[in-house]
PDB file of all heavy atoms in Angstrom:
ATOM      1  N   LYS A 123      68.745  70.792  27.779  1.00 90.00           N
ATOM      2  CA  LYS A 123      69.270  71.042  26.528  1.00 90.00           C
ATOM      3  C   LYS A 123      68.204  71.164  25.463  1.00 90.00           C
ATOM      4  O   LYS A 123      67.136  70.624  25.560  1.00 90.00           O
ATOM      5  CB  LYS A 123      70.190  69.858  26.100  1.00 90.00           C
ATOM      6  CG  LYS A 123      71.217  69.421  27.125  1.00 90.00           C
ATOM      7  CD  LYS A 123      71.982  68.204  26.756  1.00 90.00           C
ATOM      8  CE  LYS A 123      72.686  67.478  27.885  1.00 90.00           C
ATOM      9  NZ  LYS A 123      71.693  66.926  28.823  1.00 90.00           N
ATOM     10  N   MET A 124      68.588  71.948  24.483  1.00 94.00           N
ATOM     11  CA  MET A 124      67.681  72.180  23.282  1.00 94.00           C
ATOM     12  C   MET A 124      68.517  72.016  22.028  1.00 94.00           C
ATOM     13  O   MET A 124      69.591  72.686  21.887  1.00 94.00           O
ATOM     14  CB  MET A 124      66.985  73.418  23.416  1.00 94.00           C
ATOM     15  CG  MET A 124      65.756  73.616  22.534  1.00 94.00           C
ATOM     16  SD  MET A 124      64.776  75.077  22.822  1.00 94.00           S
ATOM     17  CE  MET A 124      64.007  74.805  24.498  1.00 94.00           C
ATOM     18  N   ILE A 125      68.122  71.225  21.048  1.00 95.00           N
ATOM     19  CA  ILE A 125      68.785  71.024  19.867  1.00 95.00           C
ATOM     20  C   ILE A 125      67.861  71.522  18.718  1.00 95.00           C
ATOM     21  O   ILE A 125      66.632  71.058  18.612  1.00 95.00           O
ATOM     22  CB  ILE A 125      69.187  69.513  19.586  1.00 95.00           C
ATOM     23  CG1 ILE A 125      70.001  69.026  20.808  1.00 95.00           C
ATOM     24  CG2 ILE A 125      70.050  69.429  18.318  1.00 95.00           C
ATOM     25  CD1 ILE A 125      70.271  67.475  20.630  1.00 95.00           C
ATOM     26  N   PHE A 126      68.433  72.364  17.842  1.00 96.00           N
ATOM     27  CA  PHE A 126      67.601  72.865  16.694  1.00 96.00           C
ATOM     28  C   PHE A 126      68.208  72.204  15.401  1.00 96.00           C
ATOM     29  O   PHE A 126      69.459  72.301  15.144  1.00 96.00           O
ATOM     30  CB  PHE A 126      67.850  74.380  16.634  1.00 96.00           C
ATOM     31  CG  PHE A 126      67.398  75.173  17.864  1.00 96.00           C
ATOM     32  CD1 PHE A 126      68.224  75.255  18.952  1.00 96.00           C
ATOM     33  CD2 PHE A 126      66.063  75.644  18.085  1.00 96.00           C
ATOM     34  CE1 PHE A 126      67.854  75.920  20.139  1.00 96.00           C
ATOM     35  CE2 PHE A 126      65.695  76.282  19.124  1.00 96.00           C
ATOM     36  CZ  PHE A 126      66.585  76.416  20.160  1.00 96.00           C
ATOM     37  N   PHE A 127      67.322  71.608  14.705  1.00 95.00           N
ATOM     38  CA  PHE A 127      67.636  70.934  13.439  1.00 95.00           C
ATOM     39  C   PHE A 127      67.339  71.796  12.180  1.00 95.00           C
ATOM     40  O   PHE A 127      66.402  72.656  12.243  1.00 95.00           O
ATOM     41  CB  PHE A 127      66.976  69.578  13.271  1.00 95.00           C
ATOM     42  CG  PHE A 127      67.450  68.603  14.394  1.00 95.00           C
ATOM     43  CD1 PHE A 127      66.840  68.602  15.708  1.00 95.00           C
ATOM     44  CD2 PHE A 127      68.429  67.715  14.146  1.00 95.00           C
ATOM     45  CE1 PHE A 127      67.268  67.690  16.629  1.00 95.00           C
ATOM     46  CE2 PHE A 127      68.954  66.784  15.139  1.00 95.00           C
ATOM     47  CZ  PHE A 127      68.256  66.797  16.346  1.00 95.00           C
ATOM     48  N   ARG A 128      68.030  71.514  11.071  1.00 93.00           N
ATOM     49  CA  ARG A 128      67.651  72.035   9.770  1.00 93.00           C
ATOM     50  C   ARG A 128      67.614  70.906   8.772  1.00 93.00           C
ATOM     51  O   ARG A 128      68.246  69.865   8.937  1.00 93.00           O
ATOM     52  CB  ARG A 128      68.631  73.059   9.460  1.00 93.00           C
ATOM     53  CG  ARG A 128      70.065  72.612   9.287  1.00 93.00           C
ATOM     54  CD  ARG A 128      70.918  73.674   8.624  1.00 93.00           C
ATOM     55  NE  ARG A 128      72.458  73.224   8.891  1.00 93.00           N
ATOM     56  CZ  ARG A 128      73.314  73.987   9.563  1.00 93.00           C
ATOM     57  NH1 ARG A 128      72.965  75.117  10.079  1.00 93.00           N
ATOM     58  NH2 ARG A 128      74.515  73.541   9.639  1.00 93.00           N
ATOM     59  N   GLU A 129      66.727  71.049   7.793  1.00 88.00           N
ATOM     60  CA  GLU A 129      66.597  70.099   6.794  1.00 88.00           C
ATOM     61  C   GLU A 129      67.248  70.561   5.453  1.00 88.00           C
ATOM     62  O   GLU A 129      67.011  71.681   5.107  1.00 88.00           O
ATOM     63  CB  GLU A 129      65.176  69.704   6.449  1.00 88.00           C
ATOM     64  CG  GLU A 129      65.001  68.619   5.474  1.00 88.00           C
ATOM     65  CD  GLU A 129      63.464  68.215   5.387  1.00 88.00           C
ATOM     66  OE1 GLU A 129      62.669  68.558   6.292  1.00 88.00           O
ATOM     67  OE2 GLU A 129      63.116  67.446   4.409  1.00 88.00           O
ATOM     68  N   ASP A 130      68.012  69.616   4.760  1.00 83.00           N
ATOM     69  CA  ASP A 130      68.622  69.988   3.499  1.00 83.00           C
ATOM     70  C   ASP A 130      67.572  69.739   2.557  1.00 83.00           C
ATOM     71  O   ASP A 130      67.028  68.512   2.307  1.00 83.00           O
ATOM     72  CB  ASP A 130      69.810  69.065   3.302  1.00 83.00           C
ATOM     73  CG  ASP A 130      70.531  69.395   2.005  1.00 83.00           C
ATOM     74  OD1 ASP A 130      69.979  69.488   0.919  1.00 83.00           O
ATOM     75  OD2 ASP A 130      71.824  69.654   2.115  1.00 83.00           O
ATOM     76  N   ALA A 131      67.224  70.697   1.736  1.00 79.00           N
ATOM     77  CA  ALA A 131      66.067  70.650   0.776  1.00 79.00           C
ATOM     78  C   ALA A 131      66.413  69.683  -0.372  1.00 79.00           C
ATOM     79  O   ALA A 131      65.489  69.079  -0.997  1.00 79.00           O
ATOM     80  CB  ALA A 131      65.755  72.001   0.130  1.00 79.00           C
ATOM     81  N   SER A 132      67.657  69.632  -0.688  1.00 80.00           N
ATOM     82  CA  SER A 132      68.015  68.661  -1.837  1.00 80.00           C
ATOM     83  C   SER A 132      68.133  67.246  -1.475  1.00 80.00           C
ATOM     84  O   SER A 132      67.788  66.357  -2.266  1.00 80.00           O
ATOM     85  CB  SER A 132      69.331  69.178  -2.468  1.00 80.00           C
ATOM     86  OG  SER A 132      70.455  69.188  -1.362  1.00 80.00           O
ATOM     87  N   THR A 133      68.647  66.915  -0.228  1.00 80.00           N
ATOM     88  CA  THR A 133      68.836  65.510   0.216  1.00 80.00           C
ATOM     89  C   THR A 133      67.744  65.050   1.089  1.00 80.00           C
ATOM     90  O   THR A 133      67.693  63.924   1.383  1.00 80.00           O
ATOM     91  CB  THR A 133      70.245  65.401   0.881  1.00 80.00           C
ATOM     92  OG1 THR A 133      70.204  66.218   2.037  1.00 80.00           O
ATOM     93  CG2 THR A 133      71.305  65.778  -0.007  1.00 80.00           C
ATOM     94  N   HIS A 134      66.904  65.945   1.593  1.00 78.00           N
ATOM     95  CA  HIS A 134      66.008  65.688   2.476  1.00 78.00           C
ATOM     96  C   HIS A 134      66.412  65.059   3.843  1.00 78.00           C
ATOM     97  O   HIS A 134      65.744  64.114   4.393  1.00 78.00           O
ATOM     98  CB  HIS A 134      64.790  64.859   1.944  1.00 78.00           C
ATOM     99  CG  HIS A 134      64.112  65.565   0.764  1.00 78.00           C
ATOM    100  ND1 HIS A 134      63.197  66.614   0.940  1.00 78.00           N
ATOM    101  CD2 HIS A 134      64.147  65.388  -0.562  1.00 78.00           C
ATOM    102  CE1 HIS A 134      62.840  67.015  -0.249  1.00 78.00           C
ATOM    103  NE2 HIS A 134      63.348  66.327  -1.125  1.00 78.00           N
TER     104      HIS A 134
END
Side-chain angles (χ1 to χ4, degrees):
K123 309 175 194 71
M124 199 173 286
I125 306 175
F126 302 86
F127 293 87
R128 59 173 167 240
E129 183 175 345
D130 187 305
S132 59
T133 63
H134 298 290

